[in-house]
PDB file of all heavy atoms in Angstrom:
ATOM      1  N   PRO A   1       4.257 -14.354 -19.817  1.00 72.00           N
ATOM      2  CA  PRO A   1       3.170 -13.648 -20.512  1.00 72.00           C
ATOM      3  C   PRO A   1       2.159 -13.091 -19.512  1.00 72.00           C
ATOM      4  O   PRO A   1       1.918 -13.677 -18.456  1.00 72.00           O
ATOM      5  CB  PRO A   1       2.554 -14.735 -21.389  1.00 72.00           C
ATOM      6  CG  PRO A   1       2.895 -16.026 -20.714  1.00 72.00           C
ATOM      7  CD  PRO A   1       4.221 -15.819 -20.058  1.00 72.00           C
ATOM      8  N   PHE A   2       1.592 -11.937 -19.838  1.00 72.00           N
ATOM      9  CA  PHE A   2       0.528 -11.339 -19.034  1.00 72.00           C
ATOM     10  C   PHE A   2      -0.709 -11.211 -19.910  1.00 72.00           C
ATOM     11  O   PHE A   2      -0.614 -10.853 -21.091  1.00 72.00           O
ATOM     12  CB  PHE A   2       0.956  -9.967 -18.510  1.00 72.00           C
ATOM     13  CG  PHE A   2       2.085 -10.025 -17.514  1.00 72.00           C
ATOM     14  CD1 PHE A   2       3.408  -9.979 -17.945  1.00 72.00           C
ATOM     15  CD2 PHE A   2       1.831 -10.126 -16.154  1.00 72.00           C
ATOM     16  CE1 PHE A   2       4.452 -10.033 -17.033  1.00 72.00           C
ATOM     17  CE2 PHE A   2       2.869 -10.188 -15.233  1.00 72.00           C
ATOM     18  CZ  PHE A   2       4.185 -10.137 -15.675  1.00 72.00           C
ATOM     19  N   ASP A   3      -1.865 -11.488 -19.340  1.00 84.00           N
ATOM     20  CA  ASP A   3      -3.082 -11.553 -20.155  1.00 84.00           C
ATOM     21  C   ASP A   3      -3.942 -10.296 -20.049  1.00 84.00           C
ATOM     22  O   ASP A   3      -5.064 -10.264 -20.566  1.00 84.00           O
ATOM     23  CB  ASP A   3      -3.912 -12.785 -19.779  1.00 84.00           C
ATOM     24  CG  ASP A   3      -4.324 -12.796 -18.312  1.00 84.00           C
ATOM     25  OD1 ASP A   3      -4.084 -11.789 -17.603  1.00 84.00           O
ATOM     26  OD2 ASP A   3      -4.895 -13.818 -17.873  1.00 84.00           O
ATOM     27  N   ASN A   4      -3.441  -9.236 -19.388  1.00 90.00           N
ATOM     28  CA  ASN A   4      -4.274  -8.045 -19.202  1.00 90.00           C
ATOM     29  C   ASN A   4      -3.764  -6.845 -19.992  1.00 90.00           C
ATOM     30  O   ASN A   4      -4.131  -5.705 -19.702  1.00 90.00           O
ATOM     31  CB  ASN A   4      -4.344  -7.681 -17.717  1.00 90.00           C
ATOM     32  CG  ASN A   4      -2.978  -7.354 -17.130  1.00 90.00           C
ATOM     33  OD1 ASN A   4      -1.949  -7.686 -17.715  1.00 90.00           O
ATOM     34  ND2 ASN A   4      -2.963  -6.706 -15.969  1.00 90.00           N
ATOM     35  N   GLU A   5      -2.921  -7.078 -21.000  1.00 95.00           N
ATOM     36  CA  GLU A   5      -2.353  -5.969 -21.755  1.00 95.00           C
ATOM     37  C   GLU A   5      -3.323  -5.476 -22.826  1.00 95.00           C
ATOM     38  O   GLU A   5      -4.135  -6.251 -23.353  1.00 95.00           O
ATOM     39  CB  GLU A   5      -1.040  -6.405 -22.401  1.00 95.00           C
ATOM     40  CG  GLU A   5       0.025  -6.759 -21.372  1.00 95.00           C
ATOM     41  CD  GLU A   5       1.299  -7.326 -21.977  1.00 95.00           C
ATOM     42  OE1 GLU A   5       1.324  -7.556 -23.203  1.00 95.00           O
ATOM     43  OE2 GLU A   5       2.258  -7.524 -21.214  1.00 95.00           O
ATOM     44  N   LEU A   6      -3.234  -4.184 -23.143  1.00 97.00           N
ATOM     45  CA  LEU A   6      -4.057  -3.631 -24.215  1.00 97.00           C
ATOM     46  C   LEU A   6      -3.785  -4.391 -25.506  1.00 97.00           C
ATOM     47  O   LEU A   6      -2.643  -4.722 -25.821  1.00 97.00           O
ATOM     48  CB  LEU A   6      -3.738  -2.147 -24.421  1.00 97.00           C
ATOM     49  CG  LEU A   6      -4.074  -1.176 -23.289  1.00 97.00           C
ATOM     50  CD1 LEU A   6      -3.670   0.237 -23.691  1.00 97.00           C
ATOM     51  CD2 LEU A   6      -5.548  -1.228 -22.933  1.00 97.00           C
ATOM     52  N   THR A   7      -4.833  -4.655 -26.251  1.00 97.00           N
ATOM     53  CA  THR A   7      -4.682  -5.335 -27.534  1.00 97.00           C
ATOM     54  C   THR A   7      -4.169  -4.361 -28.588  1.00 97.00           C
ATOM     55  O   THR A   7      -4.102  -3.156 -28.371  1.00 97.00           O
ATOM     56  CB  THR A   7      -6.032  -5.902 -27.997  1.00 97.00           C
ATOM     57  OG1 THR A   7      -6.925  -4.796 -28.262  1.00 97.00           O
ATOM     58  CG2 THR A   7      -6.640  -6.807 -26.936  1.00 97.00           C
ATOM     59  N   THR A   8      -3.844  -4.894 -29.752  1.00 97.00           N
ATOM     60  CA  THR A   8      -3.397  -4.036 -30.855  1.00 97.00           C
ATOM     61  C   THR A   8      -4.472  -3.022 -31.217  1.00 97.00           C
ATOM     62  O   THR A   8      -4.186  -1.836 -31.408  1.00 97.00           O
ATOM     63  CB  THR A   8      -3.046  -4.889 -32.083  1.00 97.00           C
ATOM     64  OG1 THR A   8      -2.049  -5.850 -31.729  1.00 97.00           O
ATOM     65  CG2 THR A   8      -2.520  -4.013 -33.212  1.00 97.00           C
ATOM     66  N   ASP A   9      -5.719  -3.465 -31.307  1.00 98.00           N
ATOM     67  CA  ASP A   9      -6.819  -2.562 -31.655  1.00 98.00           C
ATOM     68  C   ASP A   9      -7.012  -1.495 -30.576  1.00 98.00           C
ATOM     69  O   ASP A   9      -7.252  -0.317 -30.888  1.00 98.00           O
ATOM     70  CB  ASP A   9      -8.120  -3.338 -31.859  1.00 98.00           C
ATOM     71  CG  ASP A   9      -8.129  -4.130 -33.159  1.00 98.00           C
ATOM     72  OD1 ASP A   9      -7.290  -3.827 -34.046  1.00 98.00           O
ATOM     73  OD2 ASP A   9      -8.955  -5.064 -33.288  1.00 98.00           O
ATOM     74  N   GLN A  10      -6.915  -1.892 -29.317  1.00 98.00           N
ATOM     75  CA  GLN A  10      -7.034  -0.907 -28.236  1.00 98.00           C
ATOM     76  C   GLN A  10      -5.873   0.073 -28.268  1.00 98.00           C
ATOM     77  O   GLN A  10      -6.037   1.264 -27.963  1.00 98.00           O
ATOM     78  CB  GLN A  10      -7.103  -1.621 -26.883  1.00 98.00           C
ATOM     79  CG  GLN A  10      -8.408  -2.364 -26.655  1.00 98.00           C
ATOM     80  CD  GLN A  10      -8.379  -3.258 -25.430  1.00 98.00           C
ATOM     81  OE1 GLN A  10      -7.331  -3.809 -25.056  1.00 98.00           O
ATOM     82  NE2 GLN A  10      -9.531  -3.421 -24.800  1.00 98.00           N
ATOM     83  N   GLY A  11      -4.697  -0.417 -28.660  1.00 98.00           N
ATOM     84  CA  GLY A  11      -3.545   0.464 -28.804  1.00 98.00           C
ATOM     85  C   GLY A  11      -3.747   1.490 -29.896  1.00 98.00           C
ATOM     86  O   GLY A  11      -3.383   2.670 -29.759  1.00 98.00           O
ATOM     87  N   ARG A  12      -4.341   1.057 -31.002  1.00 98.00           N
ATOM     88  CA  ARG A  12      -4.644   1.995 -32.091  1.00 98.00           C
ATOM     89  C   ARG A  12      -5.633   3.064 -31.637  1.00 98.00           C
ATOM     90  O   ARG A  12      -5.504   4.250 -31.973  1.00 98.00           O
ATOM     91  CB  ARG A  12      -5.223   1.226 -33.288  1.00 98.00           C
ATOM     92  CG  ARG A  12      -4.188   0.448 -34.104  1.00 98.00           C
ATOM     93  CD  ARG A  12      -4.884  -0.383 -35.168  1.00 98.00           C
ATOM     94  NE  ARG A  12      -3.934  -0.996 -36.084  1.00 98.00           N
ATOM     95  CZ  ARG A  12      -3.552  -0.463 -37.240  1.00 98.00           C
ATOM     96  NH1 ARG A  12      -4.035   0.711 -37.609  1.00 98.00           N
ATOM     97  NH2 ARG A  12      -2.705  -1.087 -38.018  1.00 98.00           N
ATOM     98  N   GLU A  13      -6.638   2.653 -30.863  1.00 98.00           N
ATOM     99  CA  GLU A  13      -7.608   3.622 -30.345  1.00 98.00           C
ATOM    100  C   GLU A  13      -6.927   4.631 -29.426  1.00 98.00           C
ATOM    101  O   GLU A  13      -7.239   5.832 -29.458  1.00 98.00           O
ATOM    102  CB  GLU A  13      -8.716   2.883 -29.593  1.00 98.00           C
ATOM    103  CG  GLU A  13      -9.619   2.047 -30.490  1.00 98.00           C
ATOM    104  CD  GLU A  13     -10.632   1.239 -29.700  1.00 98.00           C
ATOM    105  OE1 GLU A  13     -10.677   1.392 -28.452  1.00 98.00           O
ATOM    106  OE2 GLU A  13     -11.382   0.451 -30.311  1.00 98.00           O
ATOM    107  N   LEU A  14      -6.003   4.163 -28.623  1.00 98.00           N
ATOM    108  CA  LEU A  14      -5.242   5.055 -27.745  1.00 98.00           C
ATOM    109  C   LEU A  14      -4.446   6.065 -28.569  1.00 98.00           C
ATOM    110  O   LEU A  14      -4.450   7.272 -28.281  1.00 98.00           O
ATOM    111  CB  LEU A  14      -4.300   4.233 -26.861  1.00 98.00           C
ATOM    112  CG  LEU A  14      -3.272   5.019 -26.033  1.00 98.00           C
ATOM    113  CD1 LEU A  14      -3.962   5.930 -25.027  1.00 98.00           C
ATOM    114  CD2 LEU A  14      -2.312   4.058 -25.323  1.00 98.00           C
ATOM    115  N   ILE A  15      -3.774   5.589 -29.595  1.00 98.00           N
ATOM    116  CA  ILE A  15      -2.974   6.468 -30.451  1.00 98.00           C
ATOM    117  C   ILE A  15      -3.860   7.477 -31.175  1.00 98.00           C
ATOM    118  O   ILE A  15      -3.515   8.660 -31.285  1.00 98.00           O
ATOM    119  CB  ILE A  15      -2.151   5.630 -31.442  1.00 98.00           C
ATOM    120  CG1 ILE A  15      -1.070   4.841 -30.689  1.00 98.00           C
ATOM    121  CG2 ILE A  15      -1.509   6.517 -32.510  1.00 98.00           C
ATOM    122  CD1 ILE A  15      -0.407   3.752 -31.506  1.00 98.00           C
ATOM    123  N   ASP A  16      -5.015   7.041 -31.664  1.00 98.00           N
ATOM    124  CA  ASP A  16      -5.961   7.957 -32.304  1.00 98.00           C
ATOM    125  C   ASP A  16      -6.315   9.108 -31.363  1.00 98.00           C
ATOM    126  O   ASP A  16      -6.318  10.283 -31.754  1.00 98.00           O
ATOM    127  CB  ASP A  16      -7.244   7.217 -32.698  1.00 98.00           C
ATOM    128  CG  ASP A  16      -7.084   6.352 -33.941  1.00 98.00           C
ATOM    129  OD1 ASP A  16      -6.161   6.608 -34.735  1.00 98.00           O
ATOM    130  OD2 ASP A  16      -7.890   5.406 -34.106  1.00 98.00           O
ATOM    131  N   ASP A  17      -6.610   8.762 -30.130  1.00 98.00           N
ATOM    132  CA  ASP A  17      -7.007   9.771 -29.146  1.00 98.00           C
ATOM    133  C   ASP A  17      -5.854  10.712 -28.832  1.00 98.00           C
ATOM    134  O   ASP A  17      -6.034  11.936 -28.779  1.00 98.00           O
ATOM    135  CB  ASP A  17      -7.494   9.073 -27.869  1.00 98.00           C
ATOM    136  CG  ASP A  17      -7.845  10.058 -26.773  1.00 98.00           C
ATOM    137  OD1 ASP A  17      -8.679  10.950 -27.016  1.00 98.00           O
ATOM    138  OD2 ASP A  17      -7.264   9.952 -25.674  1.00 98.00           O
ATOM    139  N   LEU A  18      -4.659  10.165 -28.620  1.00 98.00           N
ATOM    140  CA  LEU A  18      -3.504  10.995 -28.279  1.00 98.00           C
ATOM    141  C   LEU A  18      -3.137  11.934 -29.421  1.00 98.00           C
ATOM    142  O   LEU A  18      -2.796  13.101 -29.188  1.00 98.00           O
ATOM    143  CB  LEU A  18      -2.306  10.111 -27.922  1.00 98.00           C
ATOM    144  CG  LEU A  18      -2.430   9.304 -26.624  1.00 98.00           C
ATOM    145  CD1 LEU A  18      -1.225   8.381 -26.462  1.00 98.00           C
ATOM    146  CD2 LEU A  18      -2.546  10.238 -25.421  1.00 98.00           C
ATOM    147  N   ALA A  19      -3.203  11.435 -30.641  1.00 97.00           N
ATOM    148  CA  ALA A  19      -2.876  12.276 -31.795  1.00 97.00           C
ATOM    149  C   ALA A  19      -3.867  13.429 -31.915  1.00 97.00           C
ATOM    150  O   ALA A  19      -3.481  14.581 -32.152  1.00 97.00           O
ATOM    151  CB  ALA A  19      -2.862  11.435 -33.066  1.00 97.00           C
ATOM    152  N   ALA A  20      -5.153  13.135 -31.740  1.00 97.00           N
ATOM    153  CA  ALA A  20      -6.171  14.181 -31.812  1.00 97.00           C
ATOM    154  C   ALA A  20      -6.033  15.169 -30.657  1.00 97.00           C
ATOM    155  O   ALA A  20      -6.332  16.363 -30.800  1.00 97.00           O
ATOM    156  CB  ALA A  20      -7.561  13.550 -31.789  1.00 97.00           C
ATOM    157  N   PHE A  21      -5.551  14.694 -29.523  1.00 97.00           N
ATOM    158  CA  PHE A  21      -5.362  15.510 -28.327  1.00 97.00           C
ATOM    159  C   PHE A  21      -4.152  16.444 -28.456  1.00 97.00           C
ATOM    160  O   PHE A  21      -4.045  17.437 -27.747  1.00 97.00           O
ATOM    161  CB  PHE A  21      -5.200  14.583 -27.121  1.00 97.00           C
ATOM    162  CG  PHE A  21      -5.139  15.261 -25.787  1.00 97.00           C
ATOM    163  CD1 PHE A  21      -6.070  16.232 -25.431  1.00 97.00           C
ATOM    164  CD2 PHE A  21      -4.159  14.915 -24.875  1.00 97.00           C
ATOM    165  CE1 PHE A  21      -6.019  16.843 -24.177  1.00 97.00           C
ATOM    166  CE2 PHE A  21      -4.097  15.514 -23.623  1.00 97.00           C
ATOM    167  CZ  PHE A  21      -5.030  16.485 -23.274  1.00 97.00           C
ATOM    168  N   GLY A  22      -3.253  16.102 -29.363  1.00 95.00           N
ATOM    169  CA  GLY A  22      -2.075  16.925 -29.575  1.00 95.00           C
ATOM    170  C   GLY A  22      -0.836  16.482 -28.830  1.00 95.00           C
ATOM    171  O   GLY A  22       0.146  17.236 -28.745  1.00 95.00           O
ATOM    172  N   SER A  23      -0.841  15.264 -28.297  1.00 96.00           N
ATOM    173  CA  SER A  23       0.366  14.750 -27.647  1.00 96.00           C
ATOM    174  C   SER A  23       1.455  14.596 -28.700  1.00 96.00           C
ATOM    175  O   SER A  23       1.252  13.914 -29.704  1.00 96.00           O
ATOM    176  CB  SER A  23       0.094  13.401 -26.978  1.00 96.00           C
ATOM    177  OG  SER A  23      -0.799  13.551 -25.896  1.00 96.00           O
ATOM    178  N   PRO A  24       2.628  15.206 -28.487  1.00 95.00           N
ATOM    179  CA  PRO A  24       3.624  15.220 -29.555  1.00 95.00           C
ATOM    180  C   PRO A  24       4.445  13.943 -29.680  1.00 95.00           C
ATOM    181  O   PRO A  24       4.962  13.646 -30.753  1.00 95.00           O
ATOM    182  CB  PRO A  24       4.535  16.390 -29.164  1.00 95.00           C
ATOM    183  CG  PRO A  24       4.418  16.458 -27.667  1.00 95.00           C
ATOM    184  CD  PRO A  24       3.018  16.043 -27.342  1.00 95.00           C
ATOM    185  N   VAL A  25       4.552  13.189 -28.578  1.00 95.00           N
ATOM    186  CA  VAL A  25       5.462  12.038 -28.567  1.00 95.00           C
ATOM    187  C   VAL A  25       4.800  10.844 -27.892  1.00 95.00           C
ATOM    188  O   VAL A  25       4.152  10.985 -26.851  1.00 95.00           O
ATOM    189  CB  VAL A  25       6.776  12.365 -27.821  1.00 95.00           C
ATOM    190  CG1 VAL A  25       7.673  11.123 -27.742  1.00 95.00           C
ATOM    191  CG2 VAL A  25       7.517  13.510 -28.488  1.00 95.00           C
ATOM    192  N   MET A  26       4.974   9.681 -28.492  1.00 97.00           N
ATOM    193  CA  MET A  26       4.612   8.417 -27.863  1.00 97.00           C
ATOM    194  C   MET A  26       5.899   7.675 -27.561  1.00 97.00           C
ATOM    195  O   MET A  26       6.664   7.332 -28.471  1.00 97.00           O
ATOM    196  CB  MET A  26       3.726   7.573 -28.778  1.00 97.00           C
ATOM    197  CG  MET A  26       3.500   6.145 -28.302  1.00 97.00           C
ATOM    198  SD  MET A  26       2.469   6.043 -26.844  1.00 97.00           S
ATOM    199  CE  MET A  26       0.838   6.013 -27.593  1.00 97.00           C
ATOM    200  N   LEU A  27       6.162   7.458 -26.266  1.00 97.00           N
ATOM    201  CA  LEU A  27       7.356   6.737 -25.853  1.00 97.00           C
ATOM    202  C   LEU A  27       6.936   5.321 -25.474  1.00 97.00           C
ATOM    203  O   LEU A  27       6.271   5.107 -24.468  1.00 97.00           O
ATOM    204  CB  LEU A  27       8.031   7.445 -24.674  1.00 97.00           C
ATOM    205  CG  LEU A  27       9.452   7.010 -24.307  1.00 97.00           C
ATOM    206  CD1 LEU A  27      10.126   8.062 -23.427  1.00 97.00           C
ATOM    207  CD2 LEU A  27       9.493   5.665 -23.581  1.00 97.00           C
ATOM    208  N   PHE A  28       7.318   4.367 -26.294  1.00 98.00           N
ATOM    209  CA  PHE A  28       6.998   2.964 -26.031  1.00 98.00           C
ATOM    210  C   PHE A  28       8.031   2.387 -25.068  1.00 98.00           C
ATOM    211  O   PHE A  28       9.231   2.392 -25.337  1.00 98.00           O
ATOM    212  CB  PHE A  28       6.998   2.166 -27.330  1.00 98.00           C
ATOM    213  CG  PHE A  28       5.923   2.552 -28.298  1.00 98.00           C
ATOM    214  CD1 PHE A  28       6.147   3.525 -29.264  1.00 98.00           C
ATOM    215  CD2 PHE A  28       4.671   1.945 -28.248  1.00 98.00           C
ATOM    216  CE1 PHE A  28       5.150   3.887 -30.161  1.00 98.00           C
ATOM    217  CE2 PHE A  28       3.669   2.292 -29.147  1.00 98.00           C
ATOM    218  CZ  PHE A  28       3.913   3.269 -30.105  1.00 98.00           C
ATOM    219  N   SER A  29       7.529   1.886 -23.933  1.00 95.00           N
ATOM    220  CA  SER A  29       8.424   1.336 -22.926  1.00 95.00           C
ATOM    221  C   SER A  29       7.832   0.035 -22.421  1.00 95.00           C
ATOM    222  O   SER A  29       6.964  -0.558 -23.050  1.00 95.00           O
ATOM    223  CB  SER A  29       8.620   2.366 -21.797  1.00 95.00           C
ATOM    224  OG  SER A  29       9.579   1.931 -20.869  1.00 95.00           O
TER     225      SER A  29
END
């Protein structure tokens, strides 16, 4: 386990920003 990963809420904020920015694809890796 790593303790410095973005949380679920921070991930949602990231997605909100990317969607508004017009990024067409989110590749989860």
Side-chain angles (χ1 to χ4, degrees):
F2 293 89
D3 59 7
N4 61 343
E5 296 174 354
L6 294 180
T7 66
T8 303
D9 287 343
Q10 289 170 328
R12 284 174 172 266
E13 291 175 4
L14 171 63
I15 292 167
D16 284 338
D17 177 56
L18 292 175
F21 186 48
S23 293
V25 176
M26 170 70 87
L27 193 163
F28 294 91
S29 186

